[in-house]
Amino acid sequence: MSPGDTLLLDDGHLSLKVQAVSGTTVSTVVVDGGPLSAHKGINVPGVELPHAGLTPKDAADLAFGAELGVDFVAMSFVQSAADLRAAREALRAAGTPHTALIAKLER
């Protein structure tokens, strides 16, 4: 993140503007405020966030779904085509290369 970036909390109900970044600390100012309860998400429009990609647990879950014969797999927090390619490869390894993939675009 960089100064000037926008952070959206709780599906965009609250908006923050990044003022400064120092290491893992981000200082912001509230643009549109309100109450914020637990377990709400953060979105940073236009900023690609680091992520672990397809984890071993994700691959195991895909293999389990393939074993059950699922028709579709919906992936959350897809940032790039590489995320879908990794899921497709896991499905291919599980023996179900044609299972439909749905990208849930939260970012």
Side-chain angles (χ1 to χ4, degrees):
M1 286 196 268
S2 303
D5 286 343
T6 298
L7 301 178
L8 301 175
L9 309 176
D10 189 13
D11 293 328
H13 290 106
L14 290 86
S15 176
L16 310 174
K17 185 70 74 179
V18 174
Q19 297 294 301
V21 177
S22 177
T24 59
T25 300
V26 179
S27 299
T28 64
V29 65
V30 176
V31 176
D32 291 310
L36 180 64
S37 59
H39 309 291
K40 299 299 179 184
I42 257 185
N43 191 318
V44 189
V47 175
E48 187 169 329
L49 300 175
H51 69 352
L54 197 71
T55 67
K57 181 184 182 318
D58 295 332
D61 290 345
L62 286 171
F64 179 67
E67 184 180 312
L68 294 176
V70 299
D71 296 317
F72 298 91
V73 171
M75 292 183 62
S76 293
F77 306 107
V78 173
Q79 291 194 79
S80 70
D83 295 335
L84 294 171
R85 282 192 289 274
R88 176 63 61 211
E89 182 55 38
L91 288 168
R92 191 174 289 117
T96 57
H98 301 294
T99 300
L101 282 174
I102 300 168
K104 295 172 56 188
L105 301 177
E106 287 97 349
R107 295 186 179 178

